[in-house]
Amino acid sequence: MTDTPFLAPLRAPRRDIAAVRGLALVPVKDGLWRVTGRSGAVLGHIERKLDDRGESFAARRLLPATRTLDLGTFWQLADAADCFR
């Protein structure tokens, strides 16, 4: 038996996401969301991580030429989404 906490699937939208106006978080797979703006343009992705400190959310902005820029790791999903505004 392992000591790894169970992570429930996160395909459904979460209430804390609704606090970020002007953005849509589209589930891509369990623990990964595509962040889109009002126009529908893809701004980046948020990925759920789990380590010995608990659950966190890493935000990555898409740049031209299919590159990405790490924006940071946050303890709340809404905080990770807010950095795309």
Side-chain angles (χ1 to χ4, degrees):
M1 182 177 279
T2 66
D3 292 334
T4 304
F6 173 73
L7 284 177
L10 289 179
R11 287 200 172 277
R14 289 176 41 166
R15 291 182 188 168
D16 51 355
I17 297 171
V20 183
R21 293 190 176 121
L23 298 176
L25 274 69
V26 180
V28 176
K29 64 178 186 175
D30 287 341
L32 180 66
W33 295 269
R34 180 180 304 120
V35 181
T36 61
R38 289 178 198 253
S39 68
V42 177
L43 303 175
H45 293 91
I46 297 175
E47 184 175 7
R48 180 175 66 165
K49 306 277 188 175
L50 180 68
D51 62 19
D52 57 342
R53 294 175 295 165
E55 180 180 58
S56 62
F57 300 89
R60 292 185 310 273
R61 181 173 289 278
L62 288 178
L63 299 175
T66 66
R67 297 182 338 170
T68 62
L69 173 67
D70 289 333
L71 298 177
T73 302
F74 305 87
W75 294 114
Q76 300 295 321
L77 181 57
D79 292 339
D82 193 47
C83 69
F84 287 96
R85 293 187 329 143

